[in-house]
Amino acid sequence: QYSIAEEGNVSLDVFDALGQLVVTLAVGNREPATYTVARNGRSANGREVPSGVYVIRLTTPQGSSAVRALKLR
């Protein structure tokens, strides 16, 4: 779940421990609101990603923030 305060272009990306982009969960212009995104554990090419630490980065016109997430099987 993520919230944005002002309208603008948003991207919500997942990176692996090596910093490689795994999948983009949301991209495009968004209105101010709270959004929910379902994560299915798959990469952009549809393959299941292995267990490990991932970084989820939200980028908006106001800046970016990131959190670490752990995927366990």
Side-chain angles (χ1 to χ4, degrees):
Q1 190 172 44
Y2 68 96
S3 299
I4 58 170
E6 296 178 25
E7 181 179 358
N9 286 321
V10 170
S11 74
L12 184 63
D13 302 304
V14 179
F15 297 90
D16 65 16
L18 299 175
Q20 297 176 325
L21 179 65
V22 174
V23 67
T24 298
L25 299 175
V27 66
N29 193 56
R30 299 286 189 268
E31 305 243 344
T34 298
Y35 296 89
T36 300
V37 177
R39 177 80 177 100
N40 65 6
R42 299 196 177 273
S43 66
N45 62 12
R47 294 186 179 146
E48 187 169 344
V49 298
S51 296
V53 177
Y54 293 86
V55 175
I56 302 171
R57 183 179 70 194
L58 174 65
T59 305
T60 70
Q62 292 74 42
S64 64
S65 62
V67 296
R68 282 187 229 151
L70 180 63
K71 182 189 182 223
L72 300 173
R73 289 190 185 223

